[in-house]
């Protein structure tokens, strides 16, 4: 039995164990529907987004909140997808990844799950980037069925483009992007624009925390396209009116740390508008005053 076979066996075993443990909870899989799209009969695509879960091997505190967040996400009647915006783990450790991805697979809060790569998922500036990168790709394939071969990728969902960017080197407060990633991104954006599609770009880092290429390159590129929203995490800033803004001509949304207060956003795509609403996935309530139309 080679190393890869052993690694897959261990991952599958741990996933099964965690699934069984979660199934022992009376609440497992029994989430009641607590939120729907504002116009369920007209919604084209809807997804919920949270960020900065920070599963940590030696700190059990986030686990309970994470479970409650998953329960809240699962209760969305019209969710086509759930997006995790990076810093899913605290240190990028294998055991932390197993706990995170196993819990997500076990709960399956939506039919489609997307997971971005954050700086803590690549060791927060320390370690072997290639190891972190390989494990991220393997976990996406193994647990979520996302057939990716790079840390940046895209998928079409109900006619919308879901584009995920990623740092290509160790990082803390920046995102290292190569010219190759920017050229790839431009090609995907051109394809989406030619189809008249709505475009959602996801990256763990804010728009201007960029290295490797010219600092303003990403903003300047994204600013050339209509019907585009850029969602990011990293800052841990609690959600408020300032979380919804425009940077360099690009419409941006700063998604808070979900395991702090349980907050995130729900995005609904309609024929003539995009509706974004702040939601607390632990209390299962909409956040008053945080509804925006694009």
């Amino acid at each position: 039995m080679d190393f890869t076979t052993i690694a897959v066996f261990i991952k599958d075993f741990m996933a099964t164990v965690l699934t069984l443990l979660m199934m022992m909870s009376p609440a497992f899989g029994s989430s009641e529907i607590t939120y729907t799209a504002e116009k369920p009969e007209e919604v084209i695509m809807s997804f919920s987004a949270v960020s900065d879960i920070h599963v940590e091997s030696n700190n059990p505190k986030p686990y309970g909140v994470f479970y409650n967040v998953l329960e809240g996400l699962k209760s969305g009647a019209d969710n086509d997808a759930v997006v995790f915006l990076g810093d899913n783990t605290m240190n990028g450790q294998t055991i932390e990844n197993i706990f995170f991805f196993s819990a997500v697979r076990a709960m399956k809060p939506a039919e489609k799950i997307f997971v971005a790569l954050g700086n803590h998922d690549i060791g927060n500036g320390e370690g072997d980037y290639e190891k972190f990168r390989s494990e991220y790709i393997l976990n996406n394939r193994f647990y979520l069925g996302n057939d990716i071969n790079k840390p940046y990728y895209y998928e079409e969902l109900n006619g919308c483009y879901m584009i995920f960017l990623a740092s290509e080197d160790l990082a803390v407060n920046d995102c290292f992007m190569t010219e190759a990633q920017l050229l790839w991104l431009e090609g995907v954006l051109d394809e989406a624009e030619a189809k008249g599609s709505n475009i959602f770009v996801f990256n763990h880092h804010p728009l201007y925390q960029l290295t490797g290429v010219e600092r303003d390159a990403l903003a300047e590129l994204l600013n050339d396209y209509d019907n585009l929203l850029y969602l990011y995490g990293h800052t841990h800033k609690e959600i408020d009116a300032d979380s919804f803004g425009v940077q360099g001509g690009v419409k941006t949304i700063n998604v808070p740390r979900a395991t702090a207060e349980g907050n995130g956003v729900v995005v609904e795509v309609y024929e003539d508008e995009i509706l974004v609403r702040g939601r607390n996935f632990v209390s299962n309530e909409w956040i008053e005053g945080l509804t925006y139309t694009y």
Side-chain angles (χ1 to χ4, degrees), residues 94-107:
T94 297
I95 189 64
E96 293 174 345
N97 276 297
I98 288 173
F99 282 140
F100 172 80
F101 281 96
S102 295
V104 171
R105 187 174 81 166
M107 287 297 296

Side-chain angles (χ1 to χ4, degrees), residues 13 43 82 162 174 199 219 227 258 260-261 278:
F13 175 76
V43 66
V82 164
M162 311 286 279
D174 52 24
I199 303 169
N227 302 324
E261 302 293 337

Side-chain angles (χ1 to χ4, degrees), residues 76-148:
D78 301 301
N79 269 340
D80 294 294
V82 164
V83 174
F84 294 91
L85 267 167
D87 279 5
N88 314 299
T89 66
M90 182 60 78
N91 303 295
Q93 296 174 354
T94 297
I95 189 64
E96 293 174 345
N97 276 297
I98 288 173
F99 282 140
F100 172 80
F101 281 96
S102 295
V104 171
R105 187 174 81 166
M107 287 297 296
K108 199 175 183 182
E111 187 65 30
K112 188 66 185 178
I113 309 293
F114 295 105
V115 176
L117 188 67
N119 55 287
H120 279 268
D121 304 314
I122 52 175
N124 203 30
E126 298 181 359
D128 182 350
Y129 174 81
E130 284 305 316
K131 176 183 178 295
F132 294 127
R133 172 187 177 278
S134 297
E135 189 159 351
Y136 170 74
I137 291 171
L138 177 63
N139 288 330
N140 264 275
R141 290 176 174 174
F142 181 80
Y143 291 106
L144 307 179
N146 294 332
D147 188 18
I148 65 175

